[in-house]
Every structure is written in C-alpha cells, then in structure tokens.
Amino acid sequence: MYDIVIIGGGPAGFSAALTAKKRNMKACIIYPNENGSWLTKIKGIDNYPGMINIDGIEMLHIFERQAVEMDIEIHHGVVQQVMRNGETFLINVGSDYFESKKVIISTGIKKPALIKNEKDFIGKGLSYCATCDGMLYKDKTIAIVDENNDIEEIKFLASVAKKVFLISNSSELKDEKVEMIKGKVSEIKGDSIVRSITVNNKDYDIDGIFILRNVVPTSTLLPDLELDKNYIAVDKKMKTNIPGIYAAGDCTGEPLQIAKAVGEGNIAAISASLGL
Amino acid sequence: MVMITKENFESEVLKSDKLVLVDFYADWCGPCKMLSPVIEQLSLEYGNDVKVVKVNVDQNQDLALSFQVMSIPTVILFKNGTMQDQMVGFAGKDYLKNKINQYL
C-alpha cells in the first residue's frame, strides 16, 4: 500500500515525487518506458531557473537522475485505469496493480487520436492490454496498432495468435505469422463484436484488435473526473473533484510551462501528504 | 468459492435457483487481481442470496468463448439459466452491488 502514487514522468510528476519523498511518504512514480513527456521535444529552454539554455530531454534526464539518487521508486508502464476501492485507489498497469491512499495525476496534455468507432468496441474485441487479454486470442486473427514501439508486447501477441496484422510505422517483426502494414487504421467495423478494420482503404477481417499506445484518455483513466474544457479541473490545492485525487502540470491547463508544472507538482504532493 | 469448468457449468450456474455471479479471470491479468478481493467481499456480504463463482479463462477457453468474453475481467450475472448482464473491465464494489441488486 502506497501513500501517494504519481502518474506521469514530466516536470510536475518528478516535482511531486521529490516533495513526497522529503515528507517521508511511501510514494512511487509511474511513467512509460519511453517517456512521452512534451519536454522530450523542446530545445533550448531558457526560462527555467538554474538551468541554462538546456534541451528538454537533458532536463528530463537530470530529473530522473535526481529521483534515482534520492531513492524514489520508479515504475515503467502505462497506467490504464484508476479505480476507487473503498478508502483507497487501485491503479492498473498492464498485468500488475498498485494500491494507494492518494493519487497525483501529472500526465500532460498529449491526447490520443482515437480511431473511428474505437470507443464502441472496448471489451468487444478491442483491448489496450496485451498481457491482460492476449491469451483470449489464442489461434485467432488479430490486428495490432503499434503506437509505442513495444516490441515485447507485439512478440507476445504474435506468439499467441494464429495471424497478426501489424499496423506500424516503426516496429518490424520478422515472423511468418505477422503481416506488416504501413499506414493508419481509419475505421474499426463490426456488430456486437469487432469484425474488421480498414487500413489504406482496404478491409482486413480480424477477431480482435490491440491498440498499444502510451497515452490513455482521461475519460478512460478516471471516468468521474471533472474537466474544465479539455483540462482537469483543480482548486488552488491541486485537488480534483474526487477526494484523494490530485492533478498537476499541463493536464490542469495553461500556461503550459515547466516552472508552473514544477510548482503545481510541489503543491499537489504537499496537499496529498496532509493527513497521512 | 466454486471454480467453474465446462463440466459443472450447467449444474452450478444454469441450474442454480439463485442469482449467480460469474467472474471470468486469469492469473496474469492485473485488473483481475484488482477485482478478486472485491468479488470475495461480495460473496461474503450477499451470503446465501447470491452464488459467486469463478472461471479461469486459461483453463476454460470454450466457456469464455461461448459468452464472448474478449476482455478480462468480465463479470456475468445469470438468473434462471439465462444471462442477465455482462460487465467488462474492473468495476468498483458499489457499481457491482448496484447491478446485483437490480436482479435480486
């Protein structure tokens, strides 16, 4: 059981993790192996005190190194869902889960581009979790939409399924069961369950589709979370409408600045640690 | 908690005179592990009113297939031999209780 679980490995998340650590909380920070923070894309930052004309990726490495040196628990993975369970929260990451008293969301603003009809088929042949549902597709034909280059998950699915259509612009897998398709899925079709997908104007019959991506829409992560336009609604203490859930950084709104994210992460961790 | 297989599905689930909650799960599935303690609490709380059973989908793929279980955990409620409701993914205890109460 954790006191605080922090979701997202950007400036807000690391700031929250440092503060939680300094306050003797049992805390951990969870973010994908390939850190999707916007920071990785920014060059020559010169409005953050103490670091002179630094690239975002380098700044992120410094944050990470500091966290490791301070013995902060880091887990790599994509958080699929956060659910209330009585007085605590359960946080699902692939085939594992964490239980925590409080949760800080610092997942940034990256939003997934959903495929047409995607939401209609969740649990009806569409899955986001290879390790969870892969075995249910033993000897079946599946499609894998690869958005995060997770070759291990792809290999696992290929080892289970009879035939795989791998829709990817980066990953390659040499396997006679796997047919590579470069392009984008424009539509998922079916009735009560998934039947086919359309890629490059061509239909492919499938029994199931796995979408492997680093970003989970907030509405899927925590369906009851109140939003203000596209951002998570918070008060000055970084509390959301759900008691025990806090948010910090770009996901709470503009200005989308590192200094603001770091400040909010600090406040969120202080607020969350009160009473624990 | 009774473990259901192809062999005892009919006698334990379809022919039961109670409302039956079937939890389709697997050992390697994170959300299933999350749901497991919730299912156990429900079993204790409802006692004799609801029969709570589990299906390991790894060992019973045919059963999972016949109810179109394509994501786990999936919880299915049966009454008088017919499926009443199907819930996919981890659902909190209150949500499941609401569903159960609808069919009691």
Side-chain angles (χ1 to χ4, degrees), chain A residues 5-267:
Chain A
V5 165
I6 299 150
I7 306 170
F14 280 110
S15 169
L18 295 177
T19 301
K21 181 77 184 177
K22 294 301 284 181
R23 295 197 153 222
N24 280 329
M25 295 289 113
K26 183 170 166 46
C28 76
I29 178 167
I30 307 171
Y31 53 91
N33 215 350
E34 192 178 324
N35 197 331
S37 170
W38 265 120
L39 205 49
T40 57
K41 299 186 174 70
I42 303 170
K43 301 271 181 206
I45 299 157
D46 47 18
N47 69 343
Y48 191 74
M51 297 191 196
I52 301 162
N53 193 33
I54 186 171
D55 286 347
I57 190 93
E58 199 187 337
M59 190 188 267
L60 208 54
H61 287 155
I62 296 172
F63 289 158
E64 239 167 358
R65 205 170 69 226
Q66 187 179 19
V68 169
E69 279 178 17
M70 281 184 64
D71 245 350
I72 286 167
E73 211 179 303
I74 298 174
H75 293 279
H76 291 298
V78 181
V79 174
Q80 300 287 348
Q81 211 186 2
V82 178
M83 290 294 300
R84 175 178 281 289
N85 187 40
E87 295 299 301
T88 63
F89 295 96
L90 298 172
I91 299 122
N92 173 224
V93 187
S95 61
D96 220 338
Y97 77 93
F98 299 80
E99 189 170 14
S100 184
K101 293 171 191 163
K102 307 275 182 80
V103 176
I104 297 174
I105 300 171
S106 52
T107 45
I109 48 159
K110 208 169 155 193
K111 303 251 183 325
L114 299 186
I115 301 167
K116 190 177 172 191
N117 302 331
E118 180 175 329
K119 282 194 164 176
D120 299 337
F121 289 111
I122 296 172
K124 297 171 185 167
L126 185 150
S127 173
Y128 298 105
C129 182
T131 48
C132 303
D133 298 328
M135 290 301 283
L136 296 171
Y137 294 86
K138 195 164 184 279
D139 299 326
K140 304 240 174 216
T141 300
I142 58 168
I144 305 172
V145 179
D146 165 48
E147 292 184 12
N148 62 357
N149 309 325
D150 197 333
I151 198 75
E152 290 309 316
E153 298 247 294
I154 295 168
K155 276 186 188 162
F156 166 68
L157 288 171
S159 73
V160 175
K162 182 176 73 183
K163 162 98 188 163
V164 174
F165 295 108
L166 175 59
I167 298 99
S168 175
N169 289 317
S170 48
S171 296
E172 296 264 354
L173 187 63
K174 285 205 168 63
D175 185 323
E176 58 184 20
K177 284 198 281 187
V178 179
E179 184 178 332
M180 293 284 310
I181 305 171
K182 299 255 180 216
K184 274 197 166 178
V185 179
S186 55
E187 189 177 357
I188 301 166
K189 293 177 190 163
D191 34 62
S192 62
I193 55 171
V194 170
R195 301 285 182 193
S196 68
I197 50 167
T198 312
V199 192
N200 305 334
N201 295 320
K202 193 178 162 197
D203 283 359
Y204 297 85
D205 288 340
I206 52 167
D207 299 307
I209 176 168
F210 285 83
I211 301 178
L212 308 179
R213 61 164 77 104
N214 272 346
V215 198
V216 175
T218 314
S219 56
T220 309
L221 190 69
L222 253 169
D224 298 332
L225 203 61
E226 195 180 300
L227 301 182
D228 180 7
K229 289 171 192 147
N230 277 323
Y231 298 112
I232 300 171
V234 286
D235 67 9
K236 282 188 172 173
K237 305 269 186 203
M238 299 295 124
K239 290 180 182 171
T240 68
N241 64 311
I242 303 173
I245 304 273
Y246 303 76
D250 285 356
C251 62
T252 70
E254 295 171 5
L256 308 178
Q257 296 282 316
I258 299 160
K260 177 259 196 188
V262 167
E264 287 192 353
N266 170 260
I267 298 169

Side-chain angles (χ1 to χ4, degrees), chain B residues 9-25:
Chain B
F9 181 76
E10 189 172 339
S11 61
E12 294 285 347
V13 178
L14 295 182
K15 293 209 165 145
S16 172
D17 54 1
K18 291 177 192 159
L19 180 66
V20 188
L21 181 153
V22 187
D23 171 24
F24 290 82
Y25 78 103

